[in-house]
Amino acid sequence: MINAFLSFHAGEPRKHDPSFRGPIQNRKKPFLFYFNIMKCASPMVLLEFQCPTTQMCVEKCPDKFMTLIKAYAVNSDFAYYKNFCEEGVTNTMGVAEILKQRLCPAMLLPSKPFTRRCFPALGMKGGVITVGNSSTFNDGNEIRNAQDLVAGVQNATVVMEARQVVMKIFEDFTHCWYWILLGLVIAMIISLVFLILLRFLAGIMVWVMIAMLVAVIGYGIFHCYMEYAALKGEAGANVTIKDLGFQTDFTVYLQIRQTWLAFIIILAIVEVIIILLLIFLWKRILIAIALIKEASRAIGHMLCSLFYPLFTFLLLAVVIAYWGVTAVFLSTSNQPIYKIFNETNCDYSRQTCDPANYSTSPMKAQCADSKCLFAFYGGETPYHKYLIALQFYNVFLFFWCANFVLGLGQMTLAGAFASYYWAAKKPDDIPAFPVFSSLGRSLRYHTGTLAFGSLILSIIQIIRVLLEYLDHKLKGAQNKFAKFLLCCLKCCFWCLEKFVKFLNRNAYIMSAIYGKNFCTSARDAFFLLMRNVIRVAVLDKVTDFILFLGKLLIVGLLGVFSFFFFFSGRVKAFQNTAPTLNYYWVPILTMVVCSYLIAHAFFSVYSMCVDTLFLCFCEDLERNDGSAARPYYMSPSLLIWKSVGKQAYYLLYL
């Protein structure tokens, strides 16, 4: 850990950022210099993001050992030393007076610039930490070990490192945003092509998806093994991730064998799980294919349903934008808070202060070596005290509106597909514009149903957020019983959220069919599913598993494609077109996540169609018997499902 830290900070100095703007007198002083970097070792630095030592801008970092006492006696040394002192320092002042007023540091250490800050030039020699090739230094009072500098440098750089990573990631996005958009368009086209092929070749496409997914994961295992074997014998490749520690340059992890070994193990486990599931579920997959074929026929008669997720996406974008603007407004409505920082004992330490008149205040008179520095953004008014409550309220409104929009999409699609199932003569009896008709019914008659169902789910979600907030705030003060209780509560509410989502989805389907209120529809849907629980396990969930494999296949194809052709430059034909990036995994990960969301949006139409047809099928079996007086509304190809209920008990144990 120490070796990696030292090697990271002993790199080449960064060039001065020409975009840096500050006071006119500091424009030629691009580097920030700490009087005593060891003061940054305090844990309060990580909490307040402020190092309690004097900081000033300098033209260049010190490159030699020097103490104020020794430099004061030699004019040439003192002239050099004044480059790192406040203005107005002269050799007529005594050393004690200069240190008391904190006009100069007590010592200078050989330093190197990093992120426009001067940090001690730490290194390793014979297993001992050194600064400027020396294991000790004079701090002005005594001889100290270079090891004493490590904690201060670590705390002082942790925020800057995170900031640098964010800036590099942002820079990568500016260089490759067009490639990301191209990849998302490709993901949309692939998803649409998959669904169109499912319309005509459902059985073949299901097995093709399964085979291609197994092949993609298998290739991933092979590629990771080749990288693992290629690093054999390479210098530093046998270093463990634990020894390496956290690195902001994540490509470093790809240079060690343990990373690729971990990838091999993870992919192998996923591959084995999928193969075992296919072996035990192959009979149920055959039955689920029939359900997908029927869903394909329904979607084929209303192709506009495939593009309905775009409307849902636009509504969600509005909700997210409103939540984001409100959250930013609340976050930036704070006032800058300044606190007193000092090196010696002071009764006013860490109290708030006013920097404008602090030099003439009684607090400064009592604590001569103290300074009034910025600490954080906050406030003392009632409005500022309740900002956290307003943020939670804003999050609650976001959950409520987002769940309402998602529920509206579910009910709209459910109403459209239900009109297909209950049409006596398909497709003649289907409405001309089933999706738009269903959307109109949902907004006119079922707004209250959607709002009530979304409210219940939002309350559960905000409770989960509060539990996470309490866990974060009380992490250091919890006993074992409190941790256990909080863990149980989080687990229970997670399960409750999943159950309510499942219940809401089916309640919206029943409400779209019969037009009843939320509570009645939820009750009818729940008991209908309980009366057909075996069919749910055999057909509905296996179908969801197949559609999930389709999403993974699209994500895997786009991930491999973007890695080889867009960003890594592994393919020679695309080396000149690949953008130069700091972290090429950032756009790849972005494309993978976004492509999954796109595939999920398209496949959610199929999933909603399957769930709607399934509930309609169960309701059809209970209401009708196939006679002339009460004929079935299901398609002839679905009559085979009647025997699934009896056969399912045997299939579950095959």
Side-chain angles (χ1 to χ4, degrees):
M1 179 67 180
I2 293 294
N3 288 330
F5 172 78
L6 295 176
S7 62
F8 179 72
H9 287 283
E12 291 296 325
R14 294 175 58 88
K15 294 182 179 180
H16 171 50
D17 185 359
S19 64
F20 174 78
R21 294 292 182 267
I24 295 177
Q25 64 271 24
N26 288 337
R27 290 188 179 178
K28 294 183 178 181
K29 300 178 179 180
F31 304 114
L32 184 66
F33 172 72
Y34 297 88
F35 272 27
N36 190 350
I37 193 68
M38 290 185 292
K39 296 293 182 182
C40 301
S42 171
M44 296 298 295
V45 173
L46 299 179
L47 297 177
E48 298 177 342
F49 290 94
Q50 183 61 259
C51 185
T53 186
T54 303
Q55 304 164 32
M56 62 177 295
C57 294
V58 296
E59 186 174 351
K60 63 179 181 178
C61 298
D63 56 3
K64 62 180 72 174
F65 287 103
M66 194 173 291
T67 62
L68 178 61
I69 296 177
K70 292 183 178 180
Y72 187 80
V74 182
N75 290 334
S76 59
D77 289 345
F78 190 67
Y80 174 81
Y81 206 97
K82 286 196 297 183
N83 293 322
F84 308 97
C85 297
E86 300 282 1
E87 294 183 0
V89 177
T90 63
N91 54 6
T92 59
M93 299 178 179
V95 173
E97 183 66 20
I98 293 175
L99 293 177
K100 182 179 179 180
Q101 297 185 24
R102 299 169 66 182
L103 299 176
C104 291
M107 60 177 177
L108 294 180
L109 296 173
S111 304
K112 288 187 177 182
F114 176 74
T115 64
R116 299 206 306 268
R117 287 163 174 81
C118 295
F119 290 121
L122 297 175
M124 185 74 73
K125 187 176 182 181
V128 178
I129 296 177
T130 62
V131 55
N133 294 324
S134 177
S135 60
T136 60
F137 65 94
N138 190 338
D139 69 350
N141 294 317
E142 58 179 326
I143 302 300
R144 304 284 295 267
N145 292 323
Q147 174 72 39
D148 299 338
L149 296 168
V150 174
V153 176
Q154 284 179 325
N155 285 354
T157 56
V158 63
V159 177
M160 278 70 76
E161 290 177 13
R163 186 181 300 168
Q164 286 297 316
V165 171
V166 173
M167 292 301 296
K168 287 181 180 180
I169 291 175
F170 180 78
E171 182 182 358
D172 289 344
F173 279 125
T174 60
H175 289 166
C176 65
W177 61 269
Y178 46 90
W179 289 107
I180 295 177
L181 289 180
L182 177 61
L184 298 184
V185 171
I186 294 175
M188 187 179 300
I189 295 174
I190 293 176
S191 301
L192 190 59
V193 170
F194 263 77
L195 295 183
I196 293 175
L197 292 176
L198 278 176
R199 167 69 180 88
F200 301 101
L201 304 170
I204 297 176
M205 284 301 300
V206 167
W207 292 112
V208 169
M209 284 192 300
I210 294 173
M212 289 187 67
L213 178 64
V214 173
V216 168
I217 298 178
Y219 174 77
I221 296 174
F222 171 76
H223 178 77
C224 292
Y225 174 77
M226 295 301 295
E227 295 286 348
Y228 176 79
L231 290 174
K232 184 177 181 180
E234 294 289 335
N238 292 323
V239 176
T240 63
I241 297 178
K242 182 179 179 180
D243 293 335
L244 187 62
F246 176 76
Q247 298 291 323
T248 55
D249 186 2
F250 292 97
T251 57
V252 174
Y253 296 105
L254 300 180
Q255 307 302 319
I256 60 177
R257 304 186 74 200
Q258 192 180 70
T259 302
W260 295 105
L261 180 61
F263 289 159
I264 293 173
I265 294 174
I266 294 172
L267 291 176
I269 292 174
V270 173
E271 184 87 330
V272 170
I273 291 175
I274 292 177
I275 292 175
L276 290 177
L277 288 174
L278 293 176
I279 292 174
F280 289 101
L281 295 178
W282 71 273
K283 288 187 177 180
R284 279 168 264 181
I285 291 175
L286 293 175
I287 302 173
I289 289 175
L291 182 60
I292 293 178
K293 288 182 178 179
E294 186 64 19
S296 299
R297 296 190 189 96
I299 294 175
H301 293 299
M302 48 188 81
L303 287 176
C304 60
S305 62
L306 291 176
F307 299 96
Y308 183 84
L310 297 178
F311 177 69
T312 301
F313 172 77
L314 292 177
L315 293 180
L316 280 177
V318 173
V319 171
I320 294 173
Y322 175 78
W323 165 78
V325 170
T326 305
V328 170
F329 173 79
L330 292 175
S331 300
T332 57
S333 60
N334 284 317
Q335 299 172 350
I337 301 298
Y338 293 83
K339 287 192 175 184
I340 299 174
F341 291 88
N342 61 292
E343 297 184 7
T344 59
N345 293 330
C346 178
D347 295 336
Y348 299 103
S349 179
R350 298 299 191 274
Q351 291 187 13
T352 57
C353 57
D354 183 5
N357 56 7
Y358 182 73
S359 59
T360 59
S361 66
M363 294 180 288
K364 177 66 174 178
Q366 183 173 343
C367 307
D369 63 338
S370 63
K371 283 200 172 185
C372 185
L373 302 176
F374 171 79
F376 55 86
Y377 282 99
E380 303 296 335
T381 65
Y383 168 76
H384 292 98
K385 292 180 180 179
Y386 291 102
L387 269 179
I388 186 65
L390 294 176
Q391 287 284 19
F392 275 113
Y393 179 70
N394 185 40
V395 173
F396 171 73
L397 288 182
F398 167 73
F399 285 148
W400 195 358
C401 294
N403 290 326
F404 181 89
V405 170
L406 295 175
L408 176 63
Q410 292 173 353
M411 183 173 286
T412 299
L413 293 175
F417 296 132
S419 65
Y420 164 83
Y421 185 93
W422 296 110
K425 187 178 181 182
K426 302 177 180 64
D428 297 338
D429 292 341
I430 302 175
F433 301 100
V435 176
F436 292 104
S437 300
S438 179
L439 176 61
R441 289 195 303 270
S442 300
L443 292 174
R444 182 176 180 181
Y445 300 109
H446 303 302
T447 304
T449 299
L450 294 169
F452 186 68
S454 303
L455 175 63
I456 296 174
L457 182 57
S458 301
I459 292 174
I460 296 173
Q461 290 174 333
I462 197 64
I463 291 176
R464 289 192 62 201
V465 173
L466 288 171
L467 289 175
E468 293 292 342
Y469 178 76
L470 288 176
D471 187 26
H472 175 72
K473 286 294 184 181
L474 303 176
K475 183 170 293 185
Q478 292 178 15
N479 54 36
K480 292 184 178 180
F481 177 77
K483 290 181 180 179
F484 173 76
L485 181 61
L486 199 57
C487 182
C488 290
L489 287 174
K490 291 194 292 185
C491 181
C492 290
F493 276 96
W494 179 84
C495 295
L496 182 61
E497 180 185 354
K498 296 299 180 182
F499 174 75
V500 171
K501 282 184 177 181
F502 173 78
L503 192 62
N504 280 9
R505 182 183 180 91
N506 291 282
Y508 295 151
I509 295 175
M510 295 298 289
S511 182
I513 296 174
Y514 293 107
K516 298 180 181 179
N517 59 42
F518 177 82
C519 294
T520 303
S521 299
R523 180 198 62 194
D524 294 343
F526 178 77
F527 287 111
L528 179 62
L529 292 173
M530 289 300 100
R531 291 193 296 269
N532 297 271
V533 64
I534 300 299
R535 288 192 176 101
V536 173
V538 174
L539 296 177
D540 193 51
K541 296 308 169 187
V542 174
T543 306
D544 289 342
F545 173 69
I546 293 175
L547 296 179
F548 176 71
L549 293 183
K551 300 175 192 176
L552 290 184
L553 176 60
I554 293 174
V555 171
L557 288 175
L558 193 64
V560 172
F561 186 81
S562 62
F563 175 77
F564 283 101
F565 294 96
F566 284 174
F567 305 117
S568 68
R570 297 293 182 91
V571 179
K572 294 183 178 180
F574 292 86
Q575 284 182 346
N576 296 329
T577 60
T580 302
L581 304 174
N582 296 298
Y583 311 117
Y584 67 81
W585 56 266
V586 171
I588 293 177
L589 184 61
T590 303
M591 290 180 62
V592 166
V593 173
C594 293
S595 63
Y596 178 82
L597 295 177
I598 292 174
H600 176 74
F602 280 97
F603 277 84
S604 64
V605 177
Y606 251 88
S607 179
M608 198 67 202
C609 183
V610 169
D611 291 345
T612 303
L613 295 181
F614 179 75
L615 277 182
C616 292
F617 165 74
C618 295
E619 189 74 8
D620 195 11
L621 287 179
E622 294 188 356
R623 288 171 50 185
N624 305 303
D625 56 9
S627 62
R630 292 188 299 169
Y632 289 122
Y633 284 85
M634 69 185 72
S635 301
S637 60
L638 301 183
L639 289 175
I640 192 175
W641 289 7
K642 292 176 59 180
S643 60
V644 171
K646 297 179 181 180
Q647 297 174 357
Y649 294 100
Y650 303 102
L651 289 173
L652 286 174
Y653 298 100
L654 286 179

